Amino acid sequence: MSVPERNMALELVRATESAAIAAGRWMGRGDKNGADGAAVNAMRYMLNTIHMDGVVVIGEGEKDEAPMLFNGEKLGTGDAPQVDIAVDPIDGTRLCAEGQPNAVSVVALAEKGTMYNPQHIFYMDKIATGPQAADAIDIEAPVEENIRRVAKACHKAVEDVTVVVLDRPRHEHLIRSIRNVRARIRLIRDGDVAGALMTCKAESGIDLLVGVGGSPEAVITACAIKCVGGNMQCKLWPRNEDEAALCREKGMDLNQVLTLQDLVSSDNVFFAATGVTDGEFLKGVQYQGDMIKTTSLVMRSKSGTLRYVEALHQLRKLEKISGIDYAPKS
């Protein structure tokens, strides 16, 4: 089996840029489906131009829910190499629709058969941190203990540790525990891919992400964290007894700690993200008449290289060569 040797992250970024440009036109319009549909169509078009034989392992939906990029969908030209693809055309669809910060478009890619498939489980319990505290976290330890370990690894007081948590009723007990040790909390409405990646960016001031979030986002995040040298651990989180029973029937261990290596076993992972709305992680799309500006991050785990890419796109030329509608929405 051929393996990807060229830096495919530099090709993936064209797909995230296209998705972000298309979705950004819908920012603040209150239409999640409109934004997501625009991002999906633009991303699919660009991914199909890449020389690869790709299959979506982590997608947004099933085939009968088009235009979603569905699990099992084939992308690329059909040429080597064979790869697994994880996509989220907009991580934070609601954030985009409401004009809130930190919506991003993301794609990850690795050799075929190396990404974890959560199957019917839509949620995972997660813990993630950046390189400085990579060896300190343990998802089976209480959150208070993890905060103390991260504080020690980062050479700071517990009170200075900042923890990202999705703002959900299911996290009320978690939030109380964090406040009990007097650590700082950054509650986010959506977008836990960006939330986890902020732990890997020193200037963000974020040290740790904890709590239950989407399974697809967990695998995508793992790909990114593997590129930057951080760490992530997860456990399957069935929503009800039916999902738990199906896990047992399929031999999926609900007590297993899924390590970074379990989530993506390849050592040659490619990741690209482009900001849709402004955030701590990336700047959002800026429309300047016929010019459009995007800010992206591209990474490859094999080399450990991170590149920030600022691009200026000419609207008329883009539409002429792509067939994608990037024009303002009436």
Side-chain angles (χ1 to χ4, degrees), residues 127 134-143 145-146 149 231 233 257:
I127 185 168
D135 297 327
I137 60 172
D138 179 1
I139 196 170
E140 297 196 297
V143 67
E145 177 63 22
N146 276 296
R149 293 181 183 184
N231 195 15
Q233 298 173 4
V257 174

Side-chain angles (χ1 to χ4, degrees), residues 58-290:
I58 301 296
E60 281 200 308
E62 301 305 323
K63 187 172 183 178
D64 58 356
E65 295 179 357
M68 312 302 265
L69 283 155
F70 58 88
N71 293 341
E73 180 173 353
K74 295 195 173 191
L75 296 171
T77 61
D79 304 314
Q82 293 182 309
V83 294
D84 288 346
I85 304 172
V87 299
D88 198 345
I90 310 177
D91 175 48
T93 311
R94 182 170 61 171
L95 299 177
C96 177
E98 297 181 0
Q100 298 291 327
N102 291 317
V104 295
S105 176
V106 293
V107 176
L109 181 151
E111 289 104 325
K112 182 179 180 180
T114 60
M115 287 187 189
Y116 181 81
N117 185 353
Q119 301 184 54
H120 66 287
I121 296 297
F122 296 100
Y123 290 91
M124 289 186 186
D125 193 10
K126 312 174 188 181
I127 185 168
T129 192
Q132 195 170 3
D135 297 327
I137 60 172
D138 179 1
I139 196 170
E140 297 196 297
V143 67
E144 299 94 331
E145 177 63 22
N146 276 296
I147 291 170
R148 294 187 186 99
R149 293 181 183 184
V150 168
K152 182 177 180 180
C154 294
H155 308 291
K156 58 173 62 177
V158 167
E159 292 82 359
D160 293 334
V161 171
T162 302
V163 186
V164 169
V165 184
L166 276 172
D167 191 2
R168 300 288 188 273
R170 61 177 177 263
H171 290 147
E172 289 179 1
H173 71 287
L174 189 61
I175 292 169
R176 283 197 298 271
S177 297
I178 297 169
R179 287 173 175 162
N180 283 341
V181 293
R182 302 185 66 79
R184 290 151 45 94
I185 299 176
R186 173 75 64 85
L187 290 176
I188 58 175
R189 297 187 62 189
D190 293 291
D192 61 345
V193 173
L197 287 176
M198 283 191 288
T199 69
C200 300
K201 189 174 182 179
E203 57 267 35
S204 74
I206 304 298
D207 303 292
L208 188 66
L209 175 138
V210 293
V212 175
S215 296
E217 290 83 355
V219 178
I220 293 172
T221 301
C223 291
I225 285 181
K226 196 156 197 178
C227 292
V228 296
N231 195 15
M232 183 177 192
Q233 298 173 4
C234 298
K235 295 182 78 170
L236 298 175
W237 195 81
R239 293 174 295 178
N240 50 51
E241 180 52 36
D242 288 342
E243 285 190 357
L246 190 54
C247 282
R248 292 189 288 268
E249 183 180 315
K250 292 185 174 185
M252 300 169 72
D253 186 357
L254 296 176
N255 295 314
Q256 179 186 1
V257 174
L258 297 169
T259 66
L260 198 61
Q261 190 69 7
D262 293 321
L263 294 166
V264 55
S265 59
S266 172
D267 291 322
N268 196 18
V269 180
F270 305 86
F271 178 89
T274 301
V276 179
T277 62
D278 285 340
E280 296 96 336
F281 177 45
L282 288 169
K283 291 182 180 178
V285 182
Q286 297 177 22
Y287 301 94
Q288 303 165 355
D290 191 48

Side-chain angles (χ1 to χ4, degrees), residues 14-25:
R14 294 174 62 234
T16 56
E17 286 173 344
S18 295
I21 291 170
R25 294 292 193 189

